[in-house]
């Protein structure tokens, strides 16, 4: 089983920021952890549907032009750990 940390439940969740949040179709994941150079990103809807899954590098921009406004969950996977952050799209 992969450990999962939801924002506010563990200090690992504070190691990552979604910038900007709320976003207008483009955001990036920022982290101050040097060993997080590349990681996998999964975006899910509030009902659990996987909408996107991709590998990205630290501070890469992610574009979601076709996604409607609303709340999404961004799952950041790296080295056996998964952190979940809320993303608000306007």
């Amino acid at each position: 089983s992969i450990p999962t940390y939801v924002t506010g439940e563990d200090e690992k969740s504070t190691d990552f920021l979604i910038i900007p949040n709320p976003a207008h179709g483009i955001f990036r994941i920022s982290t101050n952890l040097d060993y997080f150079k590349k990681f996998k990103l999964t975006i899910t809807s509030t009902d659990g549907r996987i909408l996107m899954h991709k590998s990205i590098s630290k501070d890469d921009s992610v574009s979601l032009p076709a996604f409607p406004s609303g709340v999404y969950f961004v799952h950041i996977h790296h080295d056996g750990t998964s952190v979940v952050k809320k993303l608000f799209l306007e």
Side-chain angles (χ1 to χ4, degrees), residues 69-88:
S69 297
V71 178
Y72 298 88
F73 292 102
V74 177
H75 305 255
I76 304 158
H77 312 281
H78 181 270
D79 200 27
T81 299
S82 181
V83 176
V84 181
K85 304 290 273 186
K86 279 186 185 177
L87 168 66
F88 299 92

Side-chain angles (χ1 to χ4, degrees), residues 14 19 23 26 29 32 37 43 53 62-63 69 72-73 79 82:
T14 62
I19 301 172
I26 297 176
I29 304 291
N32 59 355
K37 304 280 188 223
I43 298 175
H53 185 74
V62 178
S63 180
S69 297
Y72 298 88
F73 292 102
D79 200 27
S82 181

Side-chain angles (χ1 to χ4, degrees), residues 45-58:
S45 61
T46 55
D47 63 2
R49 287 180 296 129
I50 295 175
L51 306 173
M52 177 185 283
H53 185 74
K54 67 187 291 184
S55 294
I56 64 171
S57 296
K58 183 178 174 180

